[in-house]
Amino acid sequence: MKAAVLREYAEPLEIQHVPDPEPDSHGVVVETEACGICRSDWHAWQGHGEWADDRVPKGQILGHEPAGRVVAVGSGVERVREGDRIAVPFNLGRGDCEFCRNGHGNVCADGLALGFETDAPGAFAEQVHVPYADYNAVELPPNVSPVEMAGLGCRFATAYHGLAHRADLTPGDWVAVHGCGGVGLSAVHVADALGANVVAVDLADEKLSKACELGADETVNAGEVEDVPERIRGLTSGGGAHVSVDALGVAETCRNSVACLRERGQHLQLGLTTDEERGEVALPTDAMTMREITFLGSRGMPPTRYGELLRMMDRGTVSPAALVTNEVALGDVPDRLAAMSDYGTVGIEVVTEF
Ligand SMILES: [Zn+2]
Ligand SMILES: [Zn+2]
């Protein structure tokens, strides 16, 4: 089969012929119908993550937002059948540790990160192997398109899990979203769907317009104001945001996010850092303590929680497809990743031709 393989960090991915995957006893093989291109792919391609023991090995097939049809089933799989249409979260659990059994498979102690490690080749490929399929596979309703499915694996699900499960969000709360890339725009859309008032922050007017289409009530162009947190306080009746999301992962957006909160506010970290920060950002911990600010990390979404998101999609409350701005072919992936280096993509781009 054809696959996009990481040969050298920051060199174009190579489209190569590699052996078709065979299902492990606990796995299934999916014929990929769609796979989103995510900033995490870009981080992996750049060789980021060694500071968190999370650097993707060379030789890796990237791609972690797949959706498609099951074409082969391992001997020990009971729930998933050939022909099923499934999506999977990138954060794969094994299903049997205390976290998985308590509904937190996204932080499984022995979990696999699809498309980021040797044991879990990714979905920028004609076929992808899904390990521990009985636990991880999310069956898709018939009315959900492959493109819509593709956004669910990482960014949309990550934004949803962060806002719906990690943060304590009340309708009418002000939510600030710093960075309007794929996960940021997803957070804008989800926060709006959950009844929040949303302030979107970015440097690009084009991304802020997209944020307005997706439900942002106010926008701040961070390149045009002196003090982003102060502007946000001004837009939120002087108090600041109840919940603020760093959807980018650079020191400035992280600190702005913490600084724009009102007392007892909650900061939600969705973006991973770059080789500037190397996983560490200085924060005003005294002020956070005095003002009872909460710092929440959030990773992907447990596979066991997808049902609620699919029901919201069914009722039209959220629409991941509204984030999709471009459908491309597997051969375009190297270029589209490169376009992320200068933040040159808007919304979510999805590979639909393999
Ligand atoms: Zn587990
Ligand atoms: Zn991702």
Side-chain angles (χ1 to χ4, degrees):
M1 66 166 183
K2 272 191 299 178
V5 183
L6 170 68
R7 287 292 165 210
E8 283 294 337
Y9 301 118
E11 295 291 325
L13 297 188
E14 291 182 18
I15 309 296
Q16 297 184 327
H17 282 275
V18 300
D20 288 352
E22 297 282 335
D24 286 342
S25 61
H26 54 74
V28 300
V29 173
V30 169
E31 190 171 86
T32 320
E33 291 177 26
C35 182
I37 306 172
C38 177
R39 182 152 291 275
S40 307
D41 297 309
W42 178 85
H43 282 296
W45 171 55
Q46 292 289 312
H48 292 167
E50 58 174 314
W51 48 86
D53 198 18
D54 194 27
R55 190 183 217 189
V56 170
K58 293 179 190 175
Q60 181 74 32
I61 302 173
L62 299 181
H64 60 276
E65 295 186 332
R69 193 173 294 277
V70 175
V71 292
V73 179
S75 57
V77 175
E78 292 176 357
R79 192 172 64 80
V80 185
R81 298 200 175 87
E82 202 174 315
D84 285 355
R85 294 165 76 239
I86 64 167
V88 285
F90 74 89
N91 48 260
L92 303 166
R94 286 181 192 240
D96 53 5
C97 74
E98 68 165 289
F99 301 105
C100 288
R101 285 187 288 106
N102 283 300
H104 308 296
N106 58 322
V107 291
C108 174
D110 293 311
L112 292 164
L114 182 72
F116 298 109
E117 54 187 296
T118 313
D119 289 343
F124 291 151
E126 290 175 276
Q127 296 189 345
V128 59
H129 181 251
V130 173
Y132 308 99
D134 278 335
Y135 185 72
N136 293 304
V138 177
E139 194 177 350
L140 284 139
N143 56 342
V144 176
S145 74
V147 168
E148 194 154 25
M149 285 144 64
L152 289 181
C154 177
R155 285 162 288 183
F156 203 84
T158 297
Y160 180 75
H161 173 61
L163 287 164
H165 306 146
R166 297 287 290 142
D168 182 9
L169 181 65
T170 303
D173 278 356
W174 278 103
V175 174
V177 177
H178 301 261
C180 291
V183 74
L185 288 174
S186 298
V188 166
H189 186 48
V190 168
D192 176 57
L194 296 174
N197 306 318
V198 184
V199 187
V201 186
D202 202 279
L203 291 166
D205 285 331
E206 201 184 358
K207 295 182 187 185
L208 293 173
S209 312
K210 187 73 184 165
C212 289
E213 276 172 40
L214 291 165
D217 300 283
E218 303 282 355
T219 61
V220 176
N221 185 319
E224 291 171 6
V225 301
E226 192 83 350
D227 185 333
V228 171
E230 188 182 279
R231 174 63 64 91
I232 292 171
R233 280 191 291 277
L235 292 169
T236 54
S237 352
H242 298 82
V243 174
S244 183
V245 181
D246 177 10
L248 189 58
V250 301
E252 187 178 355
T253 50
C254 181
R255 283 199 282 261
N256 280 349
S257 175
V258 168
C260 79
L261 290 166
R262 65 180 62 201
E263 281 73 8
R264 307 203 75 249
Q266 305 159 72
H267 165 86
L268 183 65
Q269 187 67 36
L270 297 183
L272 294 171
T273 64
T274 70
D275 51 2
E276 289 276 309
E277 296 81 13
R278 300 178 61 82
E280 308 240 344
V281 174
L283 291 173
T285 55
D286 288 353
M288 291 168 72
T289 303
M290 305 281 281
R291 303 174 69 237
E292 294 200 343
I293 300 296
T294 303
F295 187 104
L296 296 162
S298 191
R299 177 176 196 251
M301 174 150 115
T304 43
R305 300 296 293 267
Y306 273 68
E308 58 203 79
L309 190 46
L310 292 171
R311 288 192 293 279
M312 288 176 83
M313 285 165 64
D314 186 47
R315 305 311 298 178
T317 315
V318 294
S319 171
L323 280 288
V324 176
T325 47
N326 198 9
E327 294 182 33
V328 303
L330 183 63
D332 299 325
V333 171
D335 283 352
R336 300 320 301 155
L337 273 190
M340 285 185 161
S341 296
D342 55 6
Y343 301 94
T345 57
V346 178
I348 288 180
E349 302 195 332
V350 177
V351 184
T352 51
E353 199 185 314
F354 291 87

